[in-house]
């Protein structure tokens, strides 16, 4: 032990004895600073004024002694060696003083023992001080860790012998408990669904050999009995000196919902909720395999609708979609829940009739065909028959494969399909420009137009767009169409893009791209923007009155970014309709924004002050614009459709999109992929990190706001039967 100056307090009435002790310690190598006291008052004063390392005390003094001196040291809360140095002491007194706290007793006749005793007690005192410091440091670390765990967003719980002993606030909230006292002593198995108990017990056993064990998914149970999917990570730790198990619980309900949603979309037709062609073909292959091994009987039913094309041509695809939904419901009602049903293509349906006798198959087909002939569909004041051609192919051991069975069913349908006489074309009314044509232009040069089809739009030079567009503005001759924007990560919030259509002379809808060029030449773009803003807010207010908290993306013309009066109109209309500004998202093309970035930024800032949000359309074609967009108050980046179309086949495109999404996230802007047409693209877009998707895969733009933004947590990967209500409000 390193020798240092020893501050020595001696309690003795004999100067010679005190000097003897001092000489002994100096001889042992100590450098001393010492003081002798012989009564209570002087010792009290010494303890208050000085700092001491060791106290040497005679056992008995006149009106004082070792016991009283020891009491003074204890009341001063000093942790220093207290050694009794005496000439004589009885054994009972020695035992008593040691029990009261003296560290040792040294006889003055054995002065040689004094130095080793002092060295030992100094060493022990130093170790005791270090232990206290380490204990305090450990306590501080534990308190800090406890505070971190208590405030952690991760759900953390502790159990011992299968019972809860501790948990943080997030853990309690996740399982629906208000206080730790409610969960203390509750078995961990109570929080796991019974069907998962065997797997969970096996996981606990593995956790003792694999620390920490690989996380696993379980179905958990809340206090109120509700269930949620969670990922558990278990590790063995020591808590308060005892071995226990730590649970790290992550709620993965949203992730599971997205996975189930992607699986659902990958297997189902988004309109009808029936299985799609790809999944049906897989199931048909399995059925053929079972027939060959189990000697069972199945059949393929193939239905080809006869009227759907005429309805689409005459009334539009929205009417055709409503007919398809009606047929799908009829299909399910007549063939039953156990039948595997699919929408095989646009107007073709298939059903897999499993484990049926020949008589049962004939009966089912006859009833379905009879119901089809009796069912009618009314739309636009016209009545249509839900007629169709049905083909049935029996699946037996001679069936080669799924494709061969489907080809046979299709050929039978085509052979039995009734032949229709093509309707005579009806000439369209002569445009004004043609009526005043020079005499040398013959009538045969004006093309005939089938009124049941969407009328082709004439070139701008031959159509009096000015009259048509001004009339549409005055008499509300435009129509809004809406296309859903779907969240990829489980948020059921409703988003729609508002698209503009012009109602043609024969009721057909003309897309904006076909007349906006003429509107720009005529100086009508600002008026059209105002019409769209007013009608969008009116429609949005009606939705909110129904309790649907939808948001609209409204695309603006480039000139709108320099039109401060438009924002005044927007603010006024929102106030009149009592619509919160946050539900309106103004949208402009990237090229329009970059044409005048300073004006565009000022427009966005004004939009933000009103409370609306802003989106940039067709982003990603030129990444050089990124630096300019970085500082602008933009909420959404809608990625150019040209980058989405080749997503599944072009590795370079996927790499570029990943870079774009990462950059957007670094800018804290959400991304939307538009022109999504295939189910295969959804998984790729989700893995790339896109926030939203939009396209005809979900629904074509329609005047009806009837797309069902299903709560993702209700979707299941169960392939037994589709969820009809989750696909349409019609």
């Amino acid at each position: 032990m390193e020798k240092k100056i020893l501050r020595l307090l001696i309690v003795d009435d004999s100067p010679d004895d005190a000097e003897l002790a001092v000489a002994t310690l100096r001889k042992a190598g100590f450098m001393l600073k010492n003081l002798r006291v012989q009564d209570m008052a002087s010792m009290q004063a010494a303890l208050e004024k000085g700092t001491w390392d060791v106290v040497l005390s005679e056992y008995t003094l006149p009106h004082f002694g070792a016991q009283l001196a020891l009491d003074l040291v204890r009341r001063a809360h000093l942790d220093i060696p207290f050694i009794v140095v005496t000439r004589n002491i009885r054994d009972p007194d020695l035992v008593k003083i040691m029990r009261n706290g003296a560290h040792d007793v040294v006889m003055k006749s054995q002065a040689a023992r004094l130095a080793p005793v002092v060295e030992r007690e100094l060493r022990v005192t130093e170790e005791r001080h270090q232990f206290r410091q380490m204990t305090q440091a450990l306590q501080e670390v534990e308190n800090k860790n406890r505070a971190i765990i208590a405030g952690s967003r991760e759900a953390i719980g502790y159990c011992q012998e299968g019972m809860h002993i501790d948990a943080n606030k997030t853990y309690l909230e996740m399982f629906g408990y208000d206080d730790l006292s409610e969960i203390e002593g509750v078995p961990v198995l109570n929080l796991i669904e019974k069907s998962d108990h065997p797997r969970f017990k096996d996981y606990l056993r593995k956790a003792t050999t694999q620390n920490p064990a690989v996380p696993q998914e379980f179905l958990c149970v809340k206090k109120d009995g509700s269930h949620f999917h969670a990922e558990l990570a278990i590790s063995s730790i020591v808590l308060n000196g005892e071995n226990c198990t730590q649970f790290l619980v992550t709620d993965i309900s949203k992730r599971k919902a997205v996975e189930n949603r992607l699986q659902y979309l990958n297997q189902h037709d988004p309109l009808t909720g029936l299985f799609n062609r790809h999944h049906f073909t897989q199931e048909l292959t399995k059925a053929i395999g079972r027939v060959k091994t189990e000697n069972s009987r199945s059949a393929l039913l193939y239905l080809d609708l006869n009227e759907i094309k005429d309805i689409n041509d005459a009334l539009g695809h929205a009417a055709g979609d409503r007919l398809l939904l009606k047929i799908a419901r009829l299909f399910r009602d007549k063939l039953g829940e156990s039948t595997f049903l699919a929408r095989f293509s646009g107007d073709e349906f298939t059903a897999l009739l499993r484990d049926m006798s020949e008589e049962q198959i004939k009966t089912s087909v006859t009833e379905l065909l009879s119901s089809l002939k009796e069912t009618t569909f009314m739309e636009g004041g016209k009545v249509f028959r839900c007629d169709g051609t049905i083909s049935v192919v029996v699946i037996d051991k001679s069936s080669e494969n799924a494709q061969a069975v489907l080809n046979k069913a299709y050929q039978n349908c085509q052979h039995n399909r009734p032949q229709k006489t093509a309707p005579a074309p009806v000439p369209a009314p002569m445009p004004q420009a043609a009526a005043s044509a020079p005499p040398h232009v013959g009538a045969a040069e004006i093309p005939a137009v089938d009124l049941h089809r969407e009328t082709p739009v004439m070139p701008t030079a031959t159509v009096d767009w000015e009259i048509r567009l001004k009339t549409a503005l005055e008499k509300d001759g435009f129509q809004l169409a809406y296309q859903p924007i779907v969240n990829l990560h489980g948020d059921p919030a409703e988003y729609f893009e508002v698209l503009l259509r012009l109602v043609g002379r024969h009721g057909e809808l003309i897309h904006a791209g076909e007349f906006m060029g003429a509107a720009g030449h005529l100086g009508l773009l600002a008026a059209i923007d105002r019409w769209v803003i007013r009608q969008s807010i009116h429609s949005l207010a009606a939705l909110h009155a129904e309790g649907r908290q939808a948001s609209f993306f409204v695309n603006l013309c480039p000139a709108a970014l320099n039109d401060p009066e438009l924002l005044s109109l927007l603010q006024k209309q929102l106030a009149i309709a009592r619509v919160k500004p946050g539900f309106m998202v103004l949208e402009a093309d990237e090229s329009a924004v970059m044409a005048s970035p300073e004006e565009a930024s000022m427009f966005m800032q004004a939009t933000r002050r009103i409370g609306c949000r802003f989106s940039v359309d067709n982003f990603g074609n030129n990444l050089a614009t990124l630096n300019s967009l970085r500082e602008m108050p933009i909420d959404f980046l809608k990625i150019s459709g040209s980058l989405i179309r080749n997503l599944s086949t072009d590795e370079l495109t996927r790499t570029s999109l990943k870079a774009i999404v990462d950059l957007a996230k670094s800018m804290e802007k959400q991304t939307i992929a538009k022109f999504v047409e295939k189910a295969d693209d959804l998984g790729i877009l989700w893995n790339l990190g896109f926030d939203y998707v939009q396209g005809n895969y979900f629904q074509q733009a329609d005047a009806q706001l009837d797309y069902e933004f299903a709560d993702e947590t209700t979707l299941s990967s169960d392939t037994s039967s589709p969820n009809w209500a989750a696909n349409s409000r019609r």
Side-chain angles (χ1 to χ4, degrees):
M1 185 182 71
E2 181 183 356
K3 296 293 191 297
K4 63 175 184 176
I5 296 176
L6 183 65
R7 291 162 295 189
L8 181 65
L9 181 61
I10 302 174
V11 183
D12 203 326
D13 59 351
S14 172
D16 294 337
D17 290 348
E19 185 59 33
L20 176 63
V22 169
T24 301
L25 293 175
R26 281 182 176 154
K27 188 177 180 180
F30 287 101
M31 294 181 289
L32 297 179
K33 177 182 177 182
N34 59 284
L35 175 66
R36 182 178 68 86
V37 297
Q38 56 184 349
D39 54 36
M40 181 179 291
S42 58
M43 182 172 183
Q44 182 72 47
L47 292 177
E48 291 176 356
K49 294 179 180 179
T51 302
W52 307 101
D53 298 318
V54 178
V55 176
L56 303 181
S57 176
E58 172 63 64
Y59 181 72
T60 303
L61 293 173
H63 310 296
F64 198 46
Q67 186 59 60
L68 291 175
L70 181 59
D71 291 342
L72 289 176
V73 172
R74 292 163 111 190
R75 281 201 296 270
H77 303 291
L78 299 176
D79 181 19
I80 57 177
F82 187 93
I83 301 170
V84 177
V85 181
T86 185
R87 289 192 178 278
N88 186 31
I89 186 172
R90 296 182 305 139
D91 288 344
D93 293 335
L94 186 147
V95 172
K96 181 180 178 182
I97 195 68
M98 291 291 290
R99 285 179 174 172
N100 286 341
H103 294 89
D104 207 339
V105 176
V106 177
M107 305 304 292
K108 291 181 178 178
S109 59
Q110 300 175 342
R113 284 191 62 239
L114 182 58
V117 168
V118 170
E119 290 176 353
R120 182 196 68 203
E121 293 304 323
L122 287 173
R123 187 167 51 249
V124 170
T125 300
E126 185 178 354
E127 292 173 353
R128 192 160 55 243
H129 287 169
Q130 291 176 352
F131 176 76
R132 273 199 297 268
Q133 290 173 354
M134 294 174 64
T135 302
Q136 183 178 356
L138 178 62
Q139 186 65 46
E140 290 175 356
V141 171
E142 289 180 350
N143 291 340
K144 187 181 296 183
N145 289 341
R146 196 170 285 114
I148 292 172
I149 291 172
S152 173
R153 293 184 180 181
E154 299 285 350
I156 304 173
Y158 300 91
C159 79
Q160 195 172 55
E161 297 180 357
M163 300 291 184
H164 282 96
I165 58 173
D166 198 2
N168 68 353
K169 183 179 179 181
T170 307
Y171 187 94
L172 296 174
E173 290 176 349
M174 181 176 290
F175 287 96
Y177 290 90
D178 298 324
D179 190 75
L180 179 61
S181 60
E182 293 182 350
I183 202 172
E184 280 182 317
V186 173
V188 178
L189 279 175
N190 285 17
L191 307 185
I192 305 296
E193 170 60 29
K194 289 183 179 179
S195 59
D196 275 353
H197 280 187
R199 194 163 57 89
F200 180 73
K201 290 177 181 177
D202 183 59
Y203 183 50
L204 279 176
R205 284 192 292 269
K206 289 180 179 178
T208 59
T209 58
Q210 302 174 7
N211 191 25
V214 178
Q216 287 192 20
E217 295 179 13
F218 296 94
L219 187 60
C220 295
V221 184
K222 294 187 178 183
K223 181 184 176 182
D224 60 6
S226 59
H227 296 75
F228 68 97
H229 290 277
E231 186 177 78
L232 270 65
I234 299 178
S235 56
S236 298
I237 66 168
V238 176
L239 185 65
N240 296 329
E242 297 185 4
N243 292 327
C244 67
T245 303
Q246 175 182 273
F247 291 87
L248 182 63
V249 186
T250 305
D251 188 343
I252 59 171
S253 299
K254 285 190 175 182
R255 190 185 83 191
K256 292 289 289 186
V258 171
E259 291 174 357
N260 291 340
R261 177 63 169 168
L262 290 174
Q263 184 176 358
Y264 181 90
L265 293 173
N266 191 46
Q267 295 179 349
H268 292 76
D269 170 51
L271 174 66
T272 63
L274 299 179
F275 293 110
N276 58 23
R277 177 174 185 166
H278 175 71
H279 191 59
F280 182 84
T281 304
Q282 290 180 331
E283 195 64 26
L284 180 59
T285 301
K286 295 177 184 176
I288 294 173
R290 283 194 296 269
V291 166
K292 292 182 178 181
T293 57
E294 301 174 6
N295 199 26
S296 59
R297 178 185 292 272
S298 296
L300 168 67
L301 185 152
Y302 197 102
L303 168 64
D304 189 357
L305 296 176
N306 297 333
E307 303 293 334
I308 188 69
K309 187 175 185 300
D310 292 338
I311 293 174
N312 284 338
D313 292 344
L315 302 173
H317 286 276
D321 288 347
R322 286 188 274 276
L323 172 60
L324 291 171
L325 280 168
K326 190 168 187 175
I327 297 298
R329 282 191 285 269
L330 176 67
F331 228 42
R332 186 190 63 167
D333 292 342
K334 293 301 177 183
L335 297 180
E337 297 284 351
S338 60
T339 304
F340 198 87
L341 308 172
R343 181 187 177 192
F344 199 71
S345 66
D347 56 358
E348 296 167 323
F349 292 82
T350 53
L352 185 57
L353 309 178
R354 294 178 286 200
D355 301 325
M356 285 188 176
S357 64
E358 187 174 344
E359 189 63 31
Q360 288 174 319
I361 294 173
K362 288 181 179 179
T363 301
S364 297
V365 174
T366 302
E367 291 179 354
L368 178 62
L369 193 55
S370 176
S371 298
L372 276 172
K373 290 180 178 179
E374 295 172 1
T375 302
T376 58
F377 177 72
M378 181 176 291
E379 186 80 19
K382 298 181 180 180
V383 178
F384 298 86
R385 292 176 57 196
C386 300
D387 198 6
T389 304
I390 290 181
S391 171
V392 179
V393 175
V394 176
I395 302 171
D396 53 26
K397 291 186 176 181
S398 63
S399 301
E400 296 180 22
N401 52 47
Q403 198 57 51
V405 174
L406 288 167
N407 287 342
K408 185 176 181 181
Y410 174 77
Q411 291 168 3
N412 290 343
C413 265
Q414 294 303 307
H415 179 74
N416 297 328
R417 188 182 181 95
Q419 299 296 318
K420 297 179 65 177
T421 304
V426 181
M430 183 180 296
Q432 182 178 350
S436 58
H440 65 271
V441 179
E445 296 178 31
I446 302 174
V449 180
D450 185 352
L451 294 180
H452 293 286
R453 299 180 182 272
E454 184 171 332
T455 306
V457 180
M458 302 298 178
T460 304
T462 64
V463 179
D464 191 354
W465 284 114
E466 183 174 6
I467 295 175
R468 296 179 65 179
L469 293 175
K470 288 184 176 179
T471 301
L473 286 168
E474 294 171 1
K475 299 183 177 181
D476 289 337
F478 291 110
Q479 180 176 308
L480 297 183
Y482 308 91
Q483 188 169 49
I485 299 173
V486 181
N487 187 282
L488 271 179
H489 302 280
D491 182 1
E494 299 187 23
Y495 286 90
F496 291 95
E497 177 163 10
V498 179
L499 302 169
L500 184 64
R501 302 288 185 261
L502 174 65
V503 181
R505 291 191 176 96
H506 309 294
E508 76 280 9
L509 296 180
I510 303 173
H511 287 224
E514 300 175 21
F515 60 81
M516 290 301 280
H521 289 299
L522 296 168
L524 297 176
L525 293 180
I528 291 175
D529 275 339
R530 287 165 170 72
W531 188 93
V532 172
I533 289 289
R534 285 193 296 269
Q535 296 300 320
S536 297
I537 293 175
H538 177 76
S539 178
L540 193 58
L543 275 184
H544 289 186
E546 297 175 7
R548 295 174 59 188
Q549 298 298 300
S551 298
F552 281 178
F553 282 67
V554 179
N555 213 313
L556 301 176
C557 301
L561 300 179
N562 297 311
D563 184 3
E565 294 182 8
L566 180 71
L567 292 177
S568 300
L569 172 71
L570 171 67
Q571 192 170 15
K572 181 179 178 180
Q573 292 294 321
L574 288 171
I576 293 173
R578 295 183 179 180
V579 172
K580 293 182 179 179
F583 292 104
M584 283 288 288
V585 184
L586 301 184
E587 186 171 272
D589 195 90
E590 182 191 55
S591 59
V593 172
M594 297 314 301
S596 52
E598 292 183 3
E599 289 81 357
S601 181
M602 292 174 61
F603 184 89
M604 295 176 197
Q605 290 169 5
T607 302
R608 180 68 61 87
R609 285 194 293 271
I610 293 174
C612 299
R613 292 176 285 176
F614 200 90
S615 173
V616 172
D617 195 10
N618 291 319
F619 175 77
N621 289 322
N622 183 8
L623 291 182
T625 65
L626 186 63
N627 287 331
S628 300
L629 296 177
R630 184 181 298 275
E631 302 303 325
M632 293 185 183
I634 298 168
D635 299 281
F636 300 93
L637 293 174
K638 188 174 288 186
I639 308 305
S640 174
S642 61
L643 297 173
I644 305 298
R645 287 194 177 96
N646 301 323
L647 187 63
S648 58
T649 58
D650 191 340
E651 178 67 30
L652 183 59
T653 296
R654 291 197 294 272
T655 303
S656 299
L657 283 173
K658 178 62 176 172
I660 291 172
V661 171
D662 290 343
L663 286 170
K665 287 184 177 179
S666 70
M667 296 161 58
E668 298 184 350
K669 305 183 191 307
Q670 294 184 292
T671 50
I672 303 171
K674 65 179 190 177
F675 294 169
V676 177
E677 306 288 343
K678 299 178 292 184
D680 294 343
D681 291 343
L682 289 175
I684 299 173
L685 293 170
W686 185 66
N687 285 324
L688 290 175
F690 274 88
D691 299 296
Y692 295 88
V693 286
Q694 173 188 358
N696 291 341
Y697 176 78
F698 299 95
Q699 181 176 292
Q700 293 186 3
D702 192 357
Q704 304 297 321
L705 288 154
D706 51 12
Y707 184 81
E708 181 74 21
F709 291 83
D711 183 353
E712 307 295 348
T713 59
T714 65
L715 294 173
S716 170
S717 59
D718 182 13
T719 58
S720 57
S721 62
N723 181 359
W724 299 89
N727 292 284
S728 180
R729 298 179 187 272
R730 300 167 186 156

